[in-house]
Amino acid sequence: VAFGVSFEFPIVLVFLCGVGVISTATLRRLRRGAIVFIAIFAAVITPSADPYTMLAMMIPMVLFYEAAIIIGRLLRR
């Protein structure tokens, strides 16, 4: 369930950008904090203690966060 919810997060970000609740400038400004939060979240929800599983969860989430910023910019045009 946690893996499914975590990959829905970028969809929520794109929706919030499209509606105008949050701007892409805010997402860009909060990027460092988001990456730290994603790293902590990935470390907590992965079932094993090895860093490879955490990275396998963290890297796609960070890429989806960046994709949400790009898609949000395209929606605002």
Side-chain angles (χ1 to χ4, degrees):
V1 172
F3 284 92
V5 170
S6 66
F7 286 109
E8 295 294 325
F9 181 66
I11 296 171
V12 172
L13 287 178
V14 169
F15 174 75
L16 292 176
C17 284
V19 175
V21 174
I22 193 166
S23 68
T24 57
T26 303
L27 290 176
R28 285 183 281 151
R29 189 180 37 147
L30 297 175
R31 181 180 286 141
R32 288 183 184 172
I35 291 173
V36 170
F37 175 76
I38 289 170
I40 293 170
F41 181 75
V44 170
I45 69 165
T46 51
S48 64
D50 64 317
Y52 303 114
T53 308
M54 183 190 96
L55 286 174
M57 181 70 185
M58 182 182 154
I59 291 171
M61 286 182 66
V62 171
L63 292 175
F64 288 149
Y65 183 83
E66 296 295 329
I69 293 173
I70 293 169
I71 293 170
R73 288 184 72 189
L74 293 175
L75 287 176
R76 299 304 282 172
R77 288 186 178 186

